[in-house]
Amino acid sequence: MLIGHIHQFTLRQLLRYRAFLYEPRGKLSLKTKCWLGLVKLLGGKNPTLYSYEKSLPYLPVPDLEATTGRYLESVRPVLSEERFKEMEKLAVDFKDGLGKKLQRYLVWKSWWSSNYISDWWQQFVYLRSREPLMINSNYYGVDSLLVPSQIQSARAANMIHALFLYRKQIFKEKLEPQFAMGIIPLCSEQFRRTFNTTRIPLKEQDHLHHHGATSHTVIYHRGRFFRLEAFHRGVLLKPADLERQILKILQDESKPVPGEELLPAMTSADRNLWAETRSTYFSTGVNRQSLGCIEDAAVFLNLEDLEMNYGEEESEDLDSLCRYLLHGNGHSCWFDKSFSAYIFKNGRFGLTAEHSWADAPIVSHLGEYVLIDDVQMLGYKEDGHCKGEPEFDQLPSPTRLQWDIPEKCVSIIESCQKKAELLINDLDLHVLVHTAFGKGVIKKCRLSPDAFIQMGLQLAYFKDQQTFSLTYESSMTRLFREGRTETVRPCTTESCSFVRAMLDPSATKSVKKELLVKAAEAHVDGFRRAMAGQGVDRHLFGLYVVSRYLEEDSPFLKEALKEPWKLSTSQTATQQTKKTDYNKYPEQKTAGGGFGPVADDGYGVSYIIAGEDIIFYHITCKVSSQLTDTKRFSEFIKESMAEMKALFE
């Protein structure tokens, strides 16, 4: 026992080392090489999913003066001179006054909590939000390029089987933990609630309900809900057995009862309305039993009557698929579930995920893992049906969930559907498939691919809006225990200088190139600081929460936190598992996923570097905004990327 504690303590001290983040790739110092060797030695062989959790260091509270200084540096390019001087004065007053008191409380919290910010982030940013989850909070992920089987029942059976195998890997802690640089462990805490988790609507603040280990899937088909048992006599059903069970659902000709078909629209409604309706009409009798079946289910899956497809080119088909995965028709998935899966009529697969329980890399890992298992481990017969023969001759048929929804409740459900349709009609979504070049060319420029893409977005945004704006890029803090995300601020003084030079006819090619390199380096430094727990935004947020608890008013924090993110961006992680080999299986590349716009007059941009020569950009904005247009912005992105590439030719 004592030796184990010493081992954990030693590894935790080693994992506090952050100098490796600031060293060039492939040119590590002798000190870092020795450190990596010790980490590898103490990490042991064949670690389980949660092996490193107690050895990960706690997220540090950044220095107050450093945070206020970095904040001012980040807003300088987007504020007028007068406004900047005002914020500078507020920052100094805060740093020398109330900020010291708030900082002490935050440091005290960091001493006794495993992460000083993650619980507040989940509570105040997600669970206390009263806005509809659909479009405002959820995000989606798309299938691989090639559909391995166009038989809906077969694809659904394979995916359900693969999802339960993945769940078993998590439950048994057999899933391999993730590592930075192949050695430094990342926090695995978010994986715990991947399955059997539902966000329950309550007044003022929702609750994350995690059941544990129920063995059923709820399938939604043509407005009806079915309970499908994935296990029989304690054994996970083989895909061939599941395919027969799913066929029974597809062949069922019963009709939805009043209110049943549109019922999922409640999960796309205002959270207080859903909480009140749930409490009034779904707390007793068959409604409570059926709702409990949905909320306790391991997986929620929709067998869609629509056909969807896409390829390695821009198309309305790809846009339609992504729009549907983000919002469906307002009632096509259960937005409260940790994730909901779609199997379309032609076999295509997709996911939409609730955001409070985990961030996109966790769902991306799940999607990547099960898509690979679907093809490489399970596979299909030549005719598209599941491999193998059914093991059981007689299985209990899937159970239709029963509902008794009063007329008044039906009216509420119908009104929620109408409001959902208004939100859907206000979404503009376009996927840019950038095939002119990808990661391969960017690496030859000796720049970080992420920094190159972010500078391209800065240039495109200025062309589109004729102004600079605060930009959000998500970075992970999973090098720390229970770490989630931090904000990188790509709009910097260096990036603005680069953009101005690109639009200045008198600027030479060499000057533009030099400014691009400087801007990219500044961006990489910002990303490193975020990963090292030295970002600006989570610290300011934590200080603000403390000020609210203490009922202290801070003009600086109010002003700093109300600035809108008119360009919100994120890179979708790819090749997160050792199973992935896109060179060997190029058809298993995916277009990634996306999310809705954060600001009413802003853009949401999610991108995935899908290979050496292809990048997918998922661009969203609101139709009602007169300032934004996804297709116009995508053209500026293509133009900007080409101009930047030309600087190195």
Side-chain angles (χ1 to χ4, degrees):
M1 181 72 75
L2 179 61
I3 293 174
H5 284 302
I6 293 172
H7 181 276
Q8 279 183 1
F9 176 80
T10 306
L11 186 56
R12 185 183 301 121
Q13 298 311 305
L14 282 171
L15 293 175
R16 291 180 187 275
Y17 181 75
R18 291 289 172 261
F20 74 93
L21 289 170
Y22 299 90
E23 295 181 358
R25 279 195 176 182
K27 297 181 181 178
L28 298 178
S29 65
L30 178 61
K31 182 180 179 181
T32 296
K33 288 178 180 177
C34 293
W35 169 77
L36 282 171
L38 286 171
V39 169
K40 190 172 184 179
L41 179 66
L42 289 176
K45 294 182 179 180
N46 303 317
T48 61
L49 181 59
Y50 305 118
S51 287
Y52 298 102
E53 294 306 288
K54 292 182 180 179
S55 299
L56 291 174
Y58 293 171
L59 183 69
V61 179
D63 177 74
L64 182 62
E65 186 166 356
T67 293
T68 53
R70 286 173 188 150
Y71 166 77
L72 290 171
E73 184 183 341
S74 72
V75 297
R76 187 168 205 126
V78 299
L79 298 181
S80 65
E81 192 65 31
E82 182 182 349
R83 176 77 173 134
F84 180 75
K85 286 181 179 177
E86 180 187 336
M87 286 305 300
E88 195 172 33
K89 183 179 183 306
L90 289 174
V92 171
D93 291 345
F94 175 75
K95 171 175 63 77
D96 295 337
L98 177 62
K100 291 182 178 179
K101 179 181 178 181
L102 303 182
Q103 178 78 351
R104 280 198 301 272
Y105 278 92
L106 212 54
V107 170
W108 289 342
K109 188 193 176 192
S110 74
W111 290 347
W112 56 261
S113 63
S114 49
N115 189 297
Y116 82 89
I117 200 65
S118 286
D119 57 341
W120 285 349
W121 186 252
Q122 178 178 278
Q123 179 183 356
F124 293 107
V125 172
Y126 295 117
L127 298 181
R128 283 208 178 183
S129 172
R130 302 292 85 194
E131 286 190 318
L133 302 183
M134 185 185 76
I135 299 175
N136 296 310
S137 178
N138 70 311
Y139 54 93
Y140 64 88
V142 305
D143 200 358
S144 50
L145 287 166
L146 182 68
V147 180
S149 171
Q150 294 195 359
I151 298 175
Q152 188 178 27
S153 57
R155 189 83 200 279
N158 258 22
M159 294 310 294
I160 290 171
H161 187 87
L163 284 166
F164 273 95
L165 289 179
Y166 185 83
R167 188 183 77 153
K168 182 180 178 181
Q169 293 281 85
I170 293 175
F171 283 179
K172 299 288 186 181
E173 300 185 20
K174 297 285 182 66
L175 195 66
E176 186 178 13
Q178 294 177 288
F179 298 90
M181 300 174 66
I183 295 175
I184 306 143
L186 302 181
C187 180
S188 299
E189 183 63 28
Q190 294 178 60
F191 283 96
R192 292 186 193 275
R193 293 185 290 194
T194 306
F195 295 88
N196 300 92
T197 299
T198 304
R199 177 169 167 172
I200 305 297
L202 298 172
K203 283 284 187 178
E204 296 186 7
Q205 179 177 315
D206 292 351
H207 166 67
L208 277 178
H209 167 73
H210 180 68
H211 185 275
T214 54
S215 60
H216 69 276
T217 299
V218 167
I219 293 183
Y220 180 74
H221 176 59
R222 293 182 183 169
R224 305 151 310 159
F225 297 84
F226 294 86
R227 176 180 178 133
L228 171 64
E229 292 294 339
F231 289 74
H232 185 63
R233 297 173 186 166
V235 178
L236 177 62
L237 293 177
K238 291 181 178 179
D241 285 300
L242 288 168
E243 184 178 358
R244 285 204 314 189
Q245 294 293 82
I246 291 165
L247 270 173
K248 294 176 185 177
I249 295 173
L250 292 172
Q251 293 166 358
D252 188 301
E253 296 183 357
S254 61
K255 303 295 181 185
V257 301
E260 182 180 12
E261 181 176 4
L262 300 182
L263 178 58
M266 293 303 308
T267 67
S268 69
D270 172 89
R271 301 305 290 173
N272 281 341
L273 175 60
W274 176 209
E276 185 179 341
T277 306
R278 182 180 184 277
S279 173
T280 304
Y281 299 105
F282 295 91
S283 58
T284 58
V286 293
N287 289 347
R288 176 68 202 114
Q289 292 173 14
S290 294
L291 183 62
C293 181
I294 294 171
E295 292 175 343
D296 290 344
V299 177
F300 185 92
L301 184 141
N302 180 2
L303 294 173
E304 266 291 350
D305 269 349
L306 296 171
E307 291 193 359
M308 291 285 182
N309 223 326
Y310 81 95
E312 287 190 75
E313 64 279 326
E314 269 180 78
S315 67
E316 184 56 40
D317 285 345
L318 178 52
D319 291 354
S320 296
L321 169 63
C322 293
R323 273 194 292 266
Y324 206 83
L325 291 176
L326 182 60
H327 54 60
N329 54 19
H331 63 270
S332 54
C333 79
W334 203 265
F335 289 102
D336 290 355
K337 293 297 289 183
S338 53
F339 70 91
S340 294
Y342 286 91
I343 302 291
F344 293 94
K345 196 170 183 179
N346 59 336
R348 187 159 287 289
F349 169 77
L351 293 170
T352 184
E354 200 276 316
H355 210 153
S356 65
W357 66 279
D359 302 305
I362 306 302
V363 178
S364 174
H365 185 280
L366 173 148
E368 190 174 286
Y369 203 99
V370 298
L371 286 172
I372 291 167
D373 277 357
D374 174 37
V375 175
Q376 295 181 25
M377 186 182 77
L378 301 175
Y380 298 88
K381 297 177 182 177
E382 288 186 8
D383 61 4
H385 288 284
C386 294
K387 284 186 175 179
E389 297 300 324
E391 187 175 357
F392 300 101
D393 292 329
Q394 295 292 329
L395 286 171
S397 295
T399 308
R400 173 86 185 272
L401 299 190
Q402 301 300 307
W403 305 95
D404 181 14
I405 304 175
E407 192 173 324
K408 191 173 181 180
C409 182
V410 172
S411 297
I412 296 171
I413 293 169
E414 289 173 348
S415 70
C416 289
Q417 173 62 25
K418 289 175 182 176
K419 289 177 183 176
E421 288 170 3
L422 290 175
L423 288 175
I424 290 168
N425 293 335
D426 195 28
L427 179 76
D428 182 15
L429 185 153
H430 177 61
V431 182
L432 164 62
V433 185
H434 188 273
T435 54
F437 63 92
K439 181 171 62 176
V441 167
I442 298 172
K443 282 185 172 179
K444 289 178 182 177
C445 300
R446 297 187 176 181
L447 292 179
S448 153
D450 182 73
F452 191 98
I453 290 170
Q454 284 289 339
M455 293 309 105
L457 290 173
Q458 288 298 308
L459 179 54
Y461 184 84
F462 191 87
K463 289 177 178 180
D464 188 78
Q465 298 291 312
Q466 300 301 302
T467 187
F468 296 109
S469 178
L470 277 183
T471 305
Y472 182 108
E473 181 186 6
S474 180
S475 164
M476 63 93 173
T477 55
R478 289 171 60 207
L479 292 169
F480 301 95
R481 192 169 179 182
E482 294 182 23
R484 289 199 59 165
T485 60
E486 176 58 277
T487 306
V488 182
R489 295 179 167 224
C491 184
T492 61
T493 302
E494 292 84 356
S495 72
C496 293
S497 297
F498 156 68
V499 169
R500 290 191 186 98
M502 291 296 287
L503 300 175
D504 181 0
S506 65
T508 64
K509 184 177 180 179
S510 61
V511 167
K512 293 175 182 177
K513 180 179 176 181
E514 181 183 350
L515 289 173
L516 171 56
V517 171
K518 285 183 179 178
E521 288 174 349
H523 179 76
V524 170
D525 282 343
F527 210 98
R528 287 166 172 163
R529 283 197 299 271
M531 287 184 65
Q534 298 299 316
V536 169
D537 292 273
R538 299 302 176 269
H539 187 199
L540 291 180
F541 174 74
L543 292 167
Y544 178 73
V545 173
V546 174
S547 75
R548 299 298 294 165
Y549 273 127
L550 298 179
E551 298 183 345
E552 296 272 13
D553 188 56
S554 169
F556 167 70
L557 291 174
K558 280 184 179 178
E559 292 298 314
L561 294 174
K562 80 175 185 181
E563 292 289 337
W565 301 101
K566 293 194 177 181
L567 180 57
S568 184
T569 71
S570 179
Q571 181 181 172
T572 301
T574 185
Q575 293 185 274
Q576 295 193 79
T577 74
K578 290 179 180 178
K579 294 184 172 192
T580 314
D581 187 347
Y582 290 154
N583 293 323
K584 188 176 180 182
Y585 301 100
E587 71 281 357
Q588 288 197 274
K589 287 179 185 175
T590 171
F595 53 88
V598 173
D600 289 341
D601 55 353
Y603 290 108
V605 181
S606 177
Y607 52 93
I608 182 170
I609 304 170
E612 296 297 307
D613 53 7
I614 187 168
I615 305 167
F616 291 90
Y617 294 82
H618 298 248
I619 309 165
T620 58
C621 68
K622 292 194 174 181
V623 174
S624 55
S625 170
Q626 301 297 310
L627 299 175
T628 54
D629 182 276
T630 59
K631 289 188 177 178
R632 183 184 72 209
F633 190 44
S634 73
E635 289 302 315
F636 283 130
I637 292 174
K638 283 192 282 189
E639 180 182 277
S640 299
M641 292 285 281
E643 290 171 356
M644 290 163 60
K645 175 176 173 282
L647 298 178
F648 295 87
E649 292 173 347

